[in-house]
Amino acid sequence: MSLPLLKLGAVLSTMAMISNWMSQTLPSLVGLNTTRLSTPDTLVSHSGGSENFTLFSSPKEGWQVYSSAQDPDGRCICTVVAPEQNLCSRDAKSRQLRQLLEKVQNMSQSIEVLNLRTQRDFQYVLKMETQMKGLKAKFRQIEDDRKTLMTKHFQELKEKMDELLPLIPVLEQYKTDAKLITQFKEEIRNLSAVLTGIQEEIGAYDYEELHQRVLSLETRLRDCMKKLTCGKLMKITGPVTVKTSGTRFGAWMTDPLASEKNNRVWYMDSYTNNKIVREYKSIADFVSGAESRTYNLPFKWAGTNHVVYNGSLYFNKYQSNIIIKYSFDMGRVLAQRSLEYAGFHNVYPYTWGGFSDIDLMADEIGLWAVYATNQNAGNIVISQLNKDTLEVMKSWSTGYPKRSAGESFMICGTLYVTNSHLTGAKVYYSYSTKTSTYEYTDIPFHNQYFHISMLDYNARDRALYAWNNGHQVLFNVTLFHIIKTEDDT
């Protein structure tokens, strides 16, 4: 192929590149004028774990939070929807505009280079157009006088013409594309001016100032979450099987008042005829069986409804309604007191029996005892206890039969009762000590191993600890919270 044809091939290649580039770039540029920066109305605060608090914002209700815990290491996740804020949107808008301006400037420079190259090639094509027209006229003249020319020369000219003829429509298209490039360059110039104007319009908002205001809001949110404690039970998920060990009945627990670094686990196998408490430094040690210490209690315990609270073990002394407080650090009994009128030794147990007459538990509010009395016709009685003296500070009498309950636990001063310890169990009844009212509920949970003999809530972990037929498992709980803000009336 001759040199002019090679150059025209280069022109064709250039045009293909321009066309492809324009097809990819123009659609995004067309959308730039309609780009909107949404105003975020949520903030997500993570404090470990995989469940979350979700806080919904509305002008009337204030901040709302869903919370739950799943992490076996004792951490929880909070997801919070904050009240409407317009701070972050300006931050995001400023950053996006700066990015758009940089892209537009880069494209403008590329267009300048492309324009210079286009003008140079265009001049060459115009020159070739003239040569081609002259060649066509000459060919016609040769055809008119072909009898006077040698057959060989005629054939060479005809072949050259055949090669050049397909380039004529390409030339016309190239001229059209050159006009489009000029229009495109003008559009880029106009778009750059518009973006510059928008940036000047919001330039009064300093980026660092916005950043500091966002950090301040985040700090206030964390402070709010520290105050967030109580909520209403909405859902139970899981379980997560931590370990399989021991007999069908037993208890395992952590201290809800322990520090974040203190993750000791206590393990009490069987519901009677045992005085040995095993301690593990962490969940990981518990799973691996790396026991750190054992305690030989001065009395046998009854049932499986013990609780560790603020470094001490609270349990029901065997064949009595006496509650014992035992200090792990001191290795001795600090207090003991009879729970007046409380039934014991399978008089008013849970549905599975096992001397589970007296259930000791703790929540965000404090220490509790759940039991039944003849005076309350065998129905559940809730008593709040003094953690030091074990004295009953206040009691609430419910109308739910203790012997019909599968298990129960306290969350934020509300007692939640399950209707069975077997498959199909669900949270069926709740009683609020704050309002002295009850309601029937329907919160299912998965009884994976078919027989639950211990179910207790841990306020630090936001989880339910359960002993399920020789399996130590955790259930995650989701609580609903409403936080009143300063704007609420």
Side-chain angles (χ1 to χ4, degrees):
M1 186 179 290
S2 62
L3 181 60
L5 192 58
L6 287 174
K7 291 187 176 181
L8 279 176
V11 172
L12 287 173
S13 176
T14 302
M15 287 308 304
M17 176 192 70
I18 294 171
S19 179
N20 181 57
W21 179 69
M22 289 173 63
S23 67
Q24 295 180 4
T25 308
L26 281 174
S28 61
L29 288 172
V30 170
L32 286 173
N33 285 329
T34 60
T35 300
R36 300 180 61 187
L37 302 177
S38 61
T39 301
D41 61 358
T42 62
L43 281 173
V44 179
S45 173
H46 295 272
S47 58
S50 61
E51 285 288 301
N52 56 320
F53 301 105
T54 305
L55 170 104
F56 298 93
S57 173
S58 68
K60 294 182 178 180
E61 293 185 0
W63 298 9
Q64 302 181 10
V65 176
Y66 280 94
S67 65
S68 59
Q70 182 174 356
D71 196 330
D73 289 331
R75 297 171 299 176
C76 65
I77 290 181
C78 310
T79 302
V80 180
V81 180
E84 288 190 6
Q85 301 290 337
N86 293 320
L87 305 178
C88 299
S89 63
R90 297 185 182 275
D91 188 7
K93 185 176 182 182
S94 179
R95 284 202 307 272
Q96 187 170 0
L97 284 172
R98 285 199 298 270
Q99 294 172 359
L100 288 173
L101 280 172
E102 291 174 1
K103 291 182 180 179
V104 168
Q105 290 170 0
N106 291 337
M107 287 190 291
S108 181
Q109 293 174 0
S110 300
I111 289 299
E112 287 295 335
V113 175
L114 183 60
N115 187 49
L116 291 175
R117 181 175 176 183
T118 300
Q119 294 299 324
R120 182 192 62 195
D121 292 344
F122 184 61
Q123 294 300 321
Y124 175 75
V125 170
L126 290 177
K127 184 178 179 180
M128 286 200 65
E129 183 181 26
T130 302
Q131 292 178 355
M132 289 171 63
K133 289 179 179 179
L135 184 61
K136 186 176 182 180
K138 187 175 181 180
F139 181 72
R140 288 174 180 172
Q141 181 182 356
I142 291 173
E143 271 198 323
D144 293 339
D145 200 19
R146 61 183 181 275
K147 292 181 180 180
T148 62
L149 296 175
M150 296 176 61
T151 304
K152 178 180 178 181
H153 292 167
F154 171 78
Q155 186 64 30
E156 289 178 355
L157 288 173
K158 192 173 187 308
E159 289 176 357
K160 185 171 294 187
M161 189 63 191
D162 290 340
E163 292 178 356
L164 293 175
L165 281 176
L167 297 178
I168 293 177
V170 174
L171 173 65
E172 296 299 328
Q173 181 63 42
Y174 184 81
K175 291 166 68 176
T176 302
D177 289 343
K179 293 179 181 179
L180 289 176
I181 290 293
T182 303
Q183 295 174 2
F184 181 56
K185 181 179 178 180
E186 184 65 24
E187 290 179 10
I188 289 292
R189 187 182 297 111
N190 294 337
L191 179 61
S192 179
V194 170
L195 291 176
T196 301
I198 294 174
Q199 188 182 42
E200 291 175 354
E201 181 181 345
I202 69 167
Y205 299 97
D206 181 69
Y207 174 80
E208 289 300 327
E209 179 185 354
L210 289 175
H211 183 65
Q212 291 302 320
R213 292 173 72 179
V214 170
L215 290 179
S216 174
L217 177 62
E218 196 173 5
T219 300
R220 285 188 289 129
L221 177 61
R222 289 199 183 99
D223 292 340
C224 174
M225 293 306 298
K226 290 178 181 178
K227 298 176 182 178
L228 182 64
T229 55
C230 282
K232 182 178 180 180
L233 178 66
M234 302 297 293
K235 183 171 65 173
I236 300 174
T237 56
V240 175
T241 302
V242 176
K243 189 177 182 180
T244 301
S245 64
T247 63
R248 293 184 63 194
F249 320 102
W252 70 295
M253 65 213 79
T254 60
D255 189 344
L257 294 187
S259 65
E260 293 183 0
K261 295 181 179 180
N262 182 356
N263 294 303
R264 289 187 293 175
V265 177
W266 290 274
Y267 178 87
M268 301 168 69
D269 191 14
S270 186
Y271 64 87
T272 186
N273 200 33
N274 198 347
K275 298 192 297 182
I276 303 299
V277 180
R278 305 184 187 280
E279 181 182 287
Y280 304 84
K281 289 183 178 180
S282 65
I283 289 284
D285 285 352
F286 174 61
V287 171
S288 65
E291 183 181 307
S292 63
R293 188 174 177 182
T294 60
Y295 302 88
N296 192 354
L297 301 178
F299 311 106
K300 294 179 181 179
W301 63 72
T304 58
N305 305 119
H306 333 295
V307 63
V308 174
Y309 189 69
N310 198 31
S312 293
L313 171 68
Y314 297 82
F315 66 96
N316 177 206
K317 183 179 179 182
Y318 180 57
Q319 290 187 334
S320 75
N321 60 7
I322 296 174
I323 301 172
I324 304 293
K325 177 184 179 181
Y326 177 86
S327 171
F328 286 122
D329 292 336
M330 298 180 183
R332 62 183 180 87
V333 172
L334 297 183
Q336 55 181 312
R337 183 181 293 272
S338 175
L339 194 59
E340 190 175 19
Y341 304 123
F344 61 93
H345 204 62
N346 274 346
V347 174
Y348 295 120
Y350 288 129
T351 54
W352 68 276
F355 306 144
S356 55
D357 304 71
I358 298 174
D359 192 348
L360 301 172
M361 54 188 74
D363 68 354
E364 293 85 351
I365 295 177
L367 184 66
W368 305 85
V370 173
Y371 54 98
T373 65
N374 290 333
Q375 288 75 4
N376 196 36
N379 294 323
I380 290 177
V381 176
I382 307 168
S383 291
Q384 187 173 7
L385 305 179
N386 182 298
K387 66 180 179 62
D388 297 319
T389 65
L390 303 180
E391 181 182 359
V392 173
M393 296 187 292
K394 188 175 180 179
S395 292
W396 294 261
S397 296
T398 77
Y400 196 93
K402 177 73 163 52
R403 296 181 68 93
S404 297
E407 271 289 343
S408 66
F409 52 90
M410 295 287 293
I411 298 179
C412 298
T414 297
L415 179 71
Y416 294 92
V417 182
T418 70
N419 62 345
S420 173
H421 65 283
L422 301 173
T423 303
K426 62 183 178 180
V427 177
Y428 179 72
Y429 174 91
S430 67
Y431 186 95
S432 170
T433 59
K434 181 178 180 181
T435 62
S436 298
T437 59
Y438 72 91
E439 65 176 330
Y440 289 96
T441 61
D442 186 8
I443 304 176
F445 63 97
H446 183 40
N447 187 349
Q448 184 173 358
Y449 304 108
F450 317 118
H451 190 289
I452 292 179
S453 59
M454 169 255 178
L455 188 65
D456 274 332
Y457 172 70
N458 185 294
R460 185 187 72 164
D461 300 338
R462 294 288 171 84
L464 294 174
Y465 283 64
W467 190 291
N468 195 338
N469 208 3
H471 302 269
Q472 292 75 53
V473 301
L474 288 173
F475 291 92
N476 300 318
V477 299
T478 299
L479 306 181
F480 176 71
H481 309 256
I482 296 179
I483 305 176
K484 296 298 181 181
T485 65
E486 295 177 358
D487 296 332
D488 291 337
T489 56

